[in-house]
Amino acid sequence: MSAGGPLRVVALWCPDWPVVAACAESGIPADRPAAVLVGHRVVACSATARAQGIRRGLRRREAQARCPDLAVLGRDADRDARAFETVAAAVEELTPGVEVIRPGLVVLAARGPARYFGGEETVAERLVDHVAARARVECQVGVADGVFAASLAARRSVIVPPGGSRAFLAPRPVVELELEPGVEPDTAGADVPAATARTELIGLLRRLGLTTLGAFAELPAVDVASRFDAAAVRAHRLARGLDERPPSRRRIPDELTVEVPLDPPVDRVDAAAFASRALAERLHHVLGEAGLACTRLGVQARTVGGDELARTWRCAEPLTPSATADRVRWQLEGWLSRRAGSGRSGDGLAVLRLVPEEVVDAGRLQLGLWGETGAADERAGRALVRVQGLLGPEEVLTGVPGGGRGPAERIRAVPWGDERTPALDPEAPWPGALPAPSPSTVPPEPAPARVLDAAGRPVRAAARGRLSGAPAFVGIGDGEDAPVRAWGGPWPEDGRWWDPTAPAGCLRIQVVCVQDDSDPDPAADLAPDPVESSADAAGLALLLVLRGDRWAVEGIYD
């Protein structure tokens, strides 16, 4: 095998693992249709659910309309990893060197097991039978050159002959690049940068007419490197049947390994999670000083009784501190849960060790420089998901700008994690829409106001969308009237004039009130509520709306 060539890899895949783990923990029968949802969208479903028309990406209401008996389950990465430890341990009983890509998929080098058991077909049969007997779950095994080809072969229970990975991949659609091991959507429901870049690349390739991996692989590597980014170069290697990166022959220095004694010994999940975060930060500090980033992480532990536990986690992209902490926590939860189930819960973990088994240059880990999702954004997203877990999904909202005429209707508040679609089409024409800039403050409930002309008469709506007089004074609630220095508008909104049941139209104006010299900071009267009923309008720039014969403050400009 030439340098950089792919190794023979055995991949073991458990179909629909998030659903399998959720049903097992919830006690839902295996034959009942079930789906795991994130942000009210299906991210995984069982075979019985697919038989009734359930597909990934369906919204919750549509999925339940297609299958009323559908068991709706939430995504829980900790649960998935905790349950998958039984499968990984069963595979390791037959052969060492197991690497966990993610809960539901493990890989291992094929050479040793094939020699020991007498062939790759025998290895596949033994793994399927052993996992079914010990973990009581169904799995599929594939063998091919390279991790990517092997993972796709496992989805089809195929053993690809040596040197045949490129031919095996050639007819596959380019969308299967999204199945690259280690490039997965974040557990919070939002896409991680690597997954987003891969999705954008797939869309570009399809627009160029390169709809299969074989067509993409036919492009010269030099042309791909000169015209596309690094993500496309990695994907091109995968399409050619090569590993995303050549096998690393670098010896990892012992000083990059970090270890912490656990005193007292850890036998609870919460204590394990705390230890994993601290040690992950320490590992990335050590790697950062060496200019390195980890792509294959070894998690090792020693129990009070002297048992040595070890597991390897592999990722296509360099691990961030939070991603490292997640994998360590998942692994510790799996170990502690399995030992508790075997009656050894009192034998806690005494030592925790992290070993960077494969590293790349730290330049591969560059996040957040120009607005893309970085480590801070990732931490914020995870924090919001935790708050949703405590308060409910409707209690954490994010604003989505859209179309409309008034400032209030242009923003739609959606639960964090839901699809950020505007309520109204922003590209549609909106006659009577308020011109830019938009007000900086929009109160939840417009405060009552009054608008007077120079003679002190209330300003009303006149024919053809005009005013009965020029605004000269403005007052908010019970506050004093302030002289108007300048005003703009009006902007009439007829709304749905053809619908007699629709609310009546309105009329908007912008006004700037004269500063009151006796009050150096009139805006101070507006804190903390910028539209109190007794606020003084002096010195403020306001957006006022007239509905019927009543004026109200709809927005305030800075």
Side-chain angles (χ1 to χ4, degrees):
M1 181 184 66
S2 61
L7 299 172
R8 294 291 287 173
V9 175
V10 178
L12 183 142
W13 176 61
C14 296
D16 313 319
W17 181 254
V19 180
V20 173
C23 289
E25 186 171 274
S26 304
I28 297 175
D31 58 348
R32 180 180 174 185
V36 171
L37 278 71
V38 173
H40 302 290
R41 285 192 178 272
V42 176
V43 297
C45 57
S46 62
T48 53
R50 284 192 294 272
Q52 300 193 36
I54 307 302
R55 296 292 183 270
R56 291 186 62 181
L58 282 182
R59 294 195 65 84
R60 176 172 182 163
R61 289 184 178 179
E62 184 176 356
Q64 290 179 319
R66 294 186 181 186
C67 180
D69 191 38
L70 182 70
V72 176
L73 305 163
R75 181 76 175 267
D76 187 342
D78 294 348
R79 175 196 62 209
D80 298 346
R82 183 170 59 247
F84 192 67
E85 172 59 22
T86 305
V87 177
V91 175
E92 200 169 41
E93 289 177 359
L94 285 183
T95 176
V98 175
E99 296 184 14
V100 179
I101 302 294
R102 62 177 181 273
L105 178 64
V106 298
V107 297
L108 56 136
R111 182 178 180 182
R115 286 185 173 183
Y116 183 82
F117 291 108
E120 293 173 348
E121 291 185 3
T122 306
V123 172
E125 294 173 358
R126 292 287 297 270
L127 284 173
V128 171
D129 294 341
H130 191 72
V131 170
R134 300 302 291 260
R136 299 187 182 280
V137 296
E138 295 181 358
C139 66
Q140 298 175 200
V141 175
V143 185
D145 299 336
V147 176
F148 176 63
S151 65
L152 294 188
R155 292 174 177 269
R156 298 165 175 84
S157 298
V158 172
I159 297 179
V160 180
S165 289
R166 181 164 181 169
F168 167 74
L169 294 171
R172 313 296 169 198
V174 291
V175 71
E176 296 206 13
L177 286 172
E178 291 185 338
L179 302 177
E180 178 191 353
V183 178
E184 290 295 315
D186 184 68
T187 57
D191 286 341
V192 295
T196 302
R198 185 57 48 84
T199 301
E200 294 175 352
L201 172 64
I202 291 171
L204 174 60
L205 294 177
R206 297 176 70 175
R207 292 194 297 273
L208 293 175
L210 304 174
T211 58
T212 64
L213 294 177
F216 185 34
E218 290 298 326
L219 296 180
V222 175
D223 292 345
V224 174
S226 62
R227 301 189 182 188
F228 296 90
D229 59 5
V233 174
R234 295 195 300 270
H236 188 247
R237 286 185 58 88
L238 298 179
R240 293 159 56 200
L242 304 176
D243 279 333
E244 183 271 327
R245 54 182 180 271
S248 175
R249 289 175 170 79
R250 177 185 300 180
R251 182 182 178 276
I252 307 301
D254 294 337
E255 57 266 23
L256 296 182
T257 298
V258 295
E259 178 180 304
V260 60
L262 303 176
D263 187 17
V266 169
D267 57 2
R268 300 193 324 272
V269 172
D270 55 347
F274 179 81
S276 67
R277 286 194 299 271
L279 198 58
E281 294 287 349
R282 181 177 160 192
L283 172 65
H284 279 264
H285 177 73
V286 172
L287 292 175
E289 290 185 340
L292 301 173
C294 180
T295 55
R296 192 164 63 189
L297 175 69
V299 183
Q300 302 175 3
R302 185 172 67 246
T303 68
V304 175
D307 294 339
E308 294 287 344
L309 307 175
R311 182 75 70 240
T312 300
W313 287 78
R314 182 186 179 101
C315 188
E317 292 295 314
L319 291 166
T320 62
S322 60
T324 300
D326 283 344
R327 283 155 176 80
V328 177
R329 186 183 74 252
W330 295 342
Q331 190 56 59
L332 296 182
E333 284 195 19
W335 280 335
L336 293 174
S337 300
R338 187 159 60 94
R339 295 178 73 83
S342 62
R344 305 176 66 179
S345 57
D347 189 9
L349 306 180
V351 176
L352 178 60
R353 184 183 306 110
L354 300 184
V355 182
E357 297 186 357
E358 185 177 79
V359 295
V360 296
D361 293 336
R364 293 280 302 278
L365 187 59
Q366 303 247 348
L367 300 176
L369 291 179
W370 305 107
E372 71 274 21
T373 301
D377 302 296
E378 187 179 356
R379 288 195 298 270
R382 294 177 186 275
L384 292 176
V385 171
R386 294 190 187 98
V387 174
Q388 279 185 317
L390 295 174
L391 304 180
E394 303 297 330
E395 299 301 322
V396 181
L397 306 176
T398 182
V400 180
R405 296 179 176 85
E409 65 180 325
R410 289 184 179 180
I411 300 298
R412 175 193 177 208
V414 300
W416 178 262
D418 278 17
E419 183 179 6
R420 299 184 182 183
T421 56
L424 301 171
D425 184 6
E427 302 299 329
W430 295 101
L434 186 70
S438 298
S440 57
T441 302
V442 178
E445 294 293 336
R450 58 187 173 277
V451 179
L452 308 176
D453 60 14
R457 296 187 298 266
V459 175
R460 305 296 186 192
R464 298 181 180 272
R466 299 180 180 180
L467 297 177
S468 61
F473 300 92
V474 171
I476 302 176
D478 299 331
E480 297 182 359
D481 296 337
V484 174
R485 185 175 65 187
W487 65 283
W491 293 278
E493 176 187 329
D494 291 335
R496 293 175 295 175
W497 50 267
W498 64 89
D499 186 357
T501 64
C506 64
L507 185 147
R508 294 183 175 87
I509 62 172
Q510 295 170 329
V511 298
V512 178
C513 298
V514 175
Q515 172 75 47
D516 185 354
D517 294 335
S518 64
D519 185 1
D521 186 13
D525 294 336
L526 303 177
D529 185 354
V531 287
E532 290 178 348
S533 60
S534 60
D536 192 346
L540 295 181
L542 303 172
L543 173 65
L544 302 176
V545 59
L546 174 63
R547 288 188 171 89
D549 59 352
R550 297 180 181 275
W551 287 94
V553 178
E554 196 174 36
I556 301 176
Y557 298 90
D558 283 340

